[in-house]
Amino acid sequence: MMAFNEFRQLADNPPRKDEPTIFKVAVYDIDTFEMDQECENDDKESPGQREYYPEFPLYCHHEVLSPTLHDAEAVMMRLFRDVPNAYCAVITELPFGDDIRSDYISVRVYDNTGDFIDSSKCSSYFTEERDDYRHFRGRSPEEIRFEKGDIVEVFCGSSVCLAVIVGLPLSVECCYSIATRMCGNKRDREMTQQQWEDFCFNRGYPLDDTDDCYTVVDGPGYIHHEHIPSYCVFKPHFPLPKHIEEKLHRDYQATIEEIGPTSEPS
């Protein structure tokens, strides 16, 4: 059976397919023009009365391709100089010469000053030859940036909205225990015990990029939940209005009472 230290090494250093890649830099800014239009329509006295929460719009100001991560980060910093209300930047690593419409090799997210915030933990590609590169093996404690009950901004690409966290990304220890429990199940008769254990920790391991997420709610109860990629969750950028903060705390309590304080949402 794979030792925990070996599993943790794979979690911290996900295996990568040896293939050429390219990096897409996307810089997002807060769409204050649209917000000001909404202020006028609502008879607000001035743009200074903009209400950012519970949701505000974003605009993808630039999208640029670069050959390396180093070049992509340099481009990002240059682009930030032209963005007056920058929110964040996303650098997506894509396979060169392959379908890039929805999947990625890696994703890195930066704040509006270019400081690194978070990244994906594995590839999102889901084909037979790439299954080994899509396994999510958990996050270390320092990589889990929030706690249950935290009010956060959820980055959705075209907008940002507020929510409260009710579930955390799985730890490396938890993911390892899932694989070891699989090993205890009845194995395929055509496999030896060693082959079965290798299958449970590799080809048959069930967790993928979609499991690297925070579970959030923006309403009273689990029916309002969403699973958000870990790198798409941010600390609030603006002061929280008291009535919204109180509402989200009530939503959290209602959800915890429904699912139980020690349960992990599924």
Side-chain angles (χ1 to χ4, degrees), residues 33-48:
F33 176 79
E34 181 175 333
M35 296 181 70
D36 291 346
Q37 290 294 107
E38 292 176 357
C39 285
E40 292 179 7
N41 294 336
D42 291 340
D43 296 325
K44 300 290 184 183
E45 293 181 3
S46 71

Side-chain angles (χ1 to χ4, degrees), residues 193-208:
Q193 182 63 29
Q194 182 60 55
Q195 289 171 332
W196 172 245
E197 292 175 0
D198 288 343
F199 176 80
C200 293
F201 277 95
N202 294 291
R203 181 68 65 180
Y205 178 77
L207 302 184
D208 58 34

Side-chain angles (χ1 to χ4, degrees), residues 58-265:
L58 294 181
Y59 176 73
C60 185
H61 207 85
H62 296 285
E63 282 189 313
V64 178
L65 296 178
S66 293
T68 67
L69 176 61
H70 181 269
D71 289 335
E73 291 180 326
V75 167
M76 172 187 69
M77 296 306 296
R78 175 171 57 81
L79 294 176
F80 269 139
R81 294 198 293 267
D82 300 327
V83 181
N85 298 292
Y87 180 78
C88 73
V90 180
I91 297 181
T92 308
E93 184 181 7
L94 301 165
F96 191 79
D98 207 339
D99 188 354
I100 61 173
R101 286 175 294 178
S102 59
D103 297 314
Y104 57 79
I105 301 297
S106 68
V107 178
R108 296 172 63 87
V109 176
Y110 302 76
D111 68 13
N112 58 4
T113 65
D115 287 337
F116 173 75
I117 295 178
D118 203 350
S119 65
S120 59
K121 294 291 292 180
C122 58
S123 168
S124 74
Y125 273 86
F126 191 50
T127 63
E128 184 176 352
E129 67 175 4
R130 288 192 174 92
D131 281 354
D132 290 343
Y133 309 100
R134 198 185 182 195
H135 296 324
F136 171 62
R137 296 181 174 88
R139 285 181 172 257
S140 60
E142 59 270 19
E143 292 175 319
I144 300 176
R145 297 178 291 124
F146 300 99
E147 299 179 354
K148 290 182 181 180
D150 285 350
I151 295 174
V152 295
E153 290 180 356
V154 175
F155 167 58
C156 304
S158 61
S159 64
V160 172
C161 60
L162 283 181
V164 60
I165 291 176
V166 298
L168 306 179
L170 297 178
S171 67
V172 178
E173 290 80 2
C174 183
C175 292
Y176 182 75
S177 70
I178 290 172
T180 55
R181 287 200 302 271
M182 282 184 62
C183 290
N185 295 336
K186 187 176 181 179
R187 72 172 186 270
D188 189 312
R189 293 181 179 180
E190 296 181 0
M191 293 185 183
T192 66
Q193 182 63 29
Q194 182 60 55
Q195 289 171 332
W196 172 245
E197 292 175 0
D198 288 343
F199 176 80
C200 293
F201 277 95
N202 294 291
R203 181 68 65 180
Y205 178 77
L207 302 184
D208 58 34
D209 65 291
T210 62
D211 296 294
D212 181 16
C213 63
Y214 289 93
T215 304
V216 304
V217 296
D218 60 0
Y222 195 59
I223 191 174
H224 300 279
H225 85 282
E226 286 190 73
H227 300 294
I228 307 298
S230 293
Y231 51 83
C232 289
V233 178
F234 293 72
K235 293 180 180 179
H237 283 66
F238 307 103
L240 293 172
K242 191 67 175 176
H243 70 283
I244 294 180
E245 183 177 12
E246 291 174 347
K247 174 193 176 299
L248 288 172
H249 283 313
R250 290 195 301 270
D251 294 342
Y252 173 76
Q253 290 299 329
T255 304
I256 292 301
E257 289 174 6
E258 178 182 331
I259 65 177
T262 59
S263 300
E264 279 298 327

